[in-house]
Amino acid sequence: MTKIVIVGNGMVSYKLCEKLVEKNTTASITVIGEEPRPAYDRVHLSAYFEDANADKLSMASRDWYEGNGIDLITSEKVSKINREKKEITTHNNNTFAYDYLVLATGSAAFVPPIKGVDKKGVFVYRTIEDLEMMMAYGKKASSAAVLGGGLLGLEAAKAALDMNLKTSVVEFAPRLMPRQIDEEGGNLLKQKMEDLGIEILLNKATSQITGEGTMTGMEFSDDTKLDVDMLIISAGIRPRDELGKEAGLEVAERGGFVVNSLMQTNDPSIFAVGECASHNNMIYGLVAPGYDMAEVVAEQLVHNTDEYQFDGFDMSTKLKLIGVDVASFGDPFCDNTPHSPISISDTQAGIYKRINVSEDGKTLLGGILIGDAEDYNMLHQMCVNEMALPPHPVDLIAKGSGDSGAAIGVDALPDTAQVCSCENVSKGDVCCAIKDDGVTDINGIKKATKAGTGCGGCLPMVNNILEDTLKKMGATIRKEICEHFPYSRQELFDLIKVNEIKTYKELLNKYGQGSGCETCKPAVASLLASIWNDLILKEATIQDTNDRFLANIQKGGSYSVVPRIAGGEITPDKLIAIGEVAKEFDLYTKITGGQRIDLFGATLNDLPLIWEKLIEAGFESGHAYGKSLRTVKSCVGSTWCRFGLHDSVGFAIEIENRYKGLRSPHKLKGGVSGCIRECAEARGKDFGVIATEKGWNLYVGGNGGANPKHAILLAGDITKEEVVKYIDRFLMFYIKTAEPLQRTAPWLEKLEGGIDYLKQVVVEDSLGIGEQLESDMEVLIANYSCEWKEAINNPKIRKRFAHFSNSDQDDPTQKFKRERDQRFPVAW
Amino acid sequence: MIFETNTIEEVKVWVNAGPTSDFPEDGGSSIFYEGEQIAIFNFSHLNKWFATQNLCPHKKQMILSRGMLGTEGDTPKVACPYHKKTFSLETGENLNGCEDSIKTFPIKIENDTVFVGLYEKK
Ligand SMILES: Cc1cc2nc3c(=O)[nH]c(=O)nc-3n(C[C@H](O)[C@H](O)[C@H](O)COP(=O)(O)OP(=O)(O)OC[C@H]3O[C@@H](n4cnc5c(N)ncnc54)[C@H](O)[C@@H]3O)c2cc1C
Ligand code: SF4
Ligand code: SF4
Ligand code: FES
């Protein structure tokens, strides 16, 4: 029987075993690894910081090895190779004979020869044991520095931040991730890291690490210093090739066993795979190329074929750093290739995207994405498959600026396109699993093809292919809201309405399972409110926290109070009343962007007292806490403005009062401007009305926020009555069909047929549901009552606004400070 | 502070937390006892009561009693109102796997009165 010995039990070693088993090897296999546990997922090592759970990272158990007849030996280091005798010796002096030897020894963190690196408090980031030591040490430390601002360094910085340490990154180069991203991208990334509270020090050469025995700081060649309790070194990797020299195996200049395209070293019976292999003078610090190499070796060992060869690997990467997307693909710089770069950068939103288009404008050569890497997979594939570009390549990265969107969908990908590089799965493989094996969900795809089981970066694209293919097969894609209800929001809407269900409990008992959760409870609460507009306080505990206490929860457990000021019109007396309340309860006061007044810092205990006074002064709840109508902003219009065509204030007040308290899938805002100058910014709202010479224009589907979008014209030059009728229909249609927490802009974007279809439904009443929608709205309007009024007048409800049920006192841990003559919460 | 997560055997004092009617159905409220804030949950859908620390370990705010109750599989849990981190009401474990666990306390109902079992560590 052929004897195969594998040295090292890392990710690639495991993958090789798996492939040998899959290919039904008849050889005897022995794996020797120096780490105490069987192979684990090093790529997701940082997850260990969250729960210190090594099992979650495990790639295969001892049982798996045993069950497949593989001899696994751990905690044993191979110290010598005897090529003549074809055997290896371990540090415990055990010897093993081999016919084929595979070196999968990976690499070690590179520790630069800086004075003092041997001091206590200096760590590297490579194994579970490294992390354990770091975590133990970090408990006593208050600050940490990371040496190296590359991919891994930034990941280590996140880990340090998670340990609640003041964190700095020290980088020698003038920018972060110098090998993956360009200067502009680097600047933006730096900004983002700093926003997260990570200090970034660039152009810093570390000259020594100070401290006696235990490190206390770092000194740099520019004579600056950094006081810091611990240091994590992430300055690159060094292949573990120490077995090579003595055994006469050729080792590359920058380290690593030299291999040919069959992964053979200069001894044809010895292979090297993974991070310890140097192919064409290249060492790959990623797992996907290692898996490819494993396939090449497995084919030779089992099928005795040299058909499969390793021919280099594309180093595109995508990662999510502390919630910041960073990706580069193809040739990100194109330093030596003629190309035309196209880039967009929005420093405010923290987005930078660059693509390099070939000189003839036909193909994509590479690019960089920071802040928004949603289209990484698609762009990467366009690049790899040399797919034709759309007429305006800028559309590929400039989403939201027009209707084009990312101009190309997964549909355009050839079947051969590789979607998962870790497991080398093509689009065709995924489609086959769906069409032939009847797979319908992402877990099924993972099982059938292994796609997405490596780094996971391909999952968004795999999911798109899944949905696209299912859709084409005529399957409906169900969007169940959570484990407690096997229904979509739309289905629940219909169930509640048709069966006249009035409470959450009733719905859960009839159609759900379990006891609900923080996803379905508020969603159902919103549905019940949208359908019946009943008092939400009747079922306070299924409301999101803001709705439960009728106020927006803020830092420190305090609340903000926002009285309704319809259209922004307010009398001096009312203004004074607000001022007096704010003064009495020492509330931080601010004018909002939506023409109202925000009062912050109210304790739970004070909320009913505050509202008592506000209601007495004639105010009502502003519903600033609800997924409901917030404001209808107005300009001054014809009453005062010399340009004003009609009374925009009066109309805004009318509309705001009409829809106040209306519950919807997300918050709603409106605006009314007295002329095309648009001082109310009505087109930035879910519905906007603008006066024209002949009447009013009605726009819908706009919003501000993170993804601003202008509203689109629904009907032009119409009367006030028509405006109201169409808003009624539009809002009701939206409320009935949108997903939970979907604002009108994305809802409209996803609506098949878009604005044209909406026009047909709302203006032309093509479905014949216009009157129904209007009368549904009438029911809601008729049921309106001010929630706060009910709350303060009902002693039982009022009692809920207490921090303690057994004491009248406020939460003693709440802390405030004073700034600019007002009260502020102390930061968390 | 002065209390440890404890088992019924270790309980030194049963603190009277007030009448059951102080705690909304499928909701919670907090009580104050010798400087400690304890969240008490009336999980009526399961017909069970739970008590935990009131402090959310994520943002260190006294807020868990205002959280929403639910289940994940068979595990009863509470979702912090701030960022919806969820904790098992039985073991206190953070179910998102990224926060520290919270303390849980034994609880019993006698004559429509809620009692929380505490162990004072001197
Ligand atoms: C924190 C971190 C994050 C990463 N993130 C990513 C990522 O997002 N994407 C990506 O593609 N890659 C990532 N990587 C890199 C990826 O983990 C490696 O490319 C991959 O693990 C290499 O696999 P390997 O089997 O070649 O080496 P390893 O997994 O390092 O395994 C080698 C094993 O051999 C053992 N060994 C060495 N010498 C001997 C000997 N003489 N005797 C016995 N045993 C020996 C070692 O102890 C080790 O267990 C990351 C790495 C780290 C550390
Ligand atoms: S939108 Fe027109 S009417 Fe309104 S304030 Fe501006 S200029 Fe005047
Ligand atoms: S944008 Fe809105 S949510 Fe974000 S910090 Fe400002 S007020 Fe808060
Ligand atoms: S690309 Fe890494 S799992 Fe698919």
Side-chain angles (χ1 to χ4, degrees), chain A residues 445-473:
Chain A
I445 302 264
K446 280 186 178 172
K447 271 199 200 115
T449 65
K450 293 217 160 142
T453 57
C455 71
C458 57
L459 282 173
M461 188 173 211
V462 174
N463 205 21
N464 280 346
I465 296 175
L466 176 69
E467 291 196 356
D468 194 62
T469 314
L470 285 176
K471 223 187 217 160
K472 281 214 199 92
M473 290 163 64

Side-chain angles (χ1 to χ4, degrees), chain A residues 50 483-484 508 514-516 518 521 541 543-544 548 554 556-557 559 799 803-806 811-813 828, chain B residues 22 25-32 37 45-46 59 61-62 66 68-71 73 77 81-82 84 86 97:
Chain A
E50 286 166 9
E483 67 177 73
H484 303 105
L508 185 68
S515 296
E518 68 283 359
K521 282 182 171 178
T541 56
Q543 309 292 341
D544 245 327
R548 177 163 172 200
Q554 308 289 7
Y559 288 87
K799 187 164 188 302
H803 184 73
F804 297 113
S805 59
N806 66 342
D811 175 3
T813 65
W828 49 31
Chain B
D22 273 0
E25 284 195 7
D26 286 315
S29 183
S30 69
I31 62 154
F32 196 60
Q37 298 197 22
H45 193 262
L46 293 179
K59 288 299 178 190
Q61 310 284 322
M62 289 295 181
R66 302 181 208 165
M68 196 178 284
L69 299 183
T71 49
K77 62 175 182 175
Y82 274 111
K84 300 243 168 94
T86 54

Side-chain angles (χ1 to χ4, degrees), chain A residues 580-619:
Chain A
E580 279 173 348
V581 169
K583 209 163 162 179
E584 179 177 345
F585 292 92
D586 196 7
L587 302 174
Y588 166 89
T589 309
K590 183 179 181 303
I591 309 281
T592 72
Q595 298 180 327
R596 302 201 283 193
I597 300 175
D598 237 342
L599 305 170
F600 288 84
T603 63
L604 194 55
N605 293 340
D606 282 347
L607 279 177
L609 304 173
I610 291 171
W611 274 105
E612 209 159 43
K613 303 213 166 193
L614 289 173
I615 286 170
E616 206 176 285
F619 288 102

Side-chain angles (χ1 to χ4, degrees), chain A residues 507-518:
Chain A
L507 188 71
L508 185 68
N509 291 346
K510 273 207 176 111
Y511 297 102
Q513 59 221 20
S515 296
C517 69
E518 68 283 359

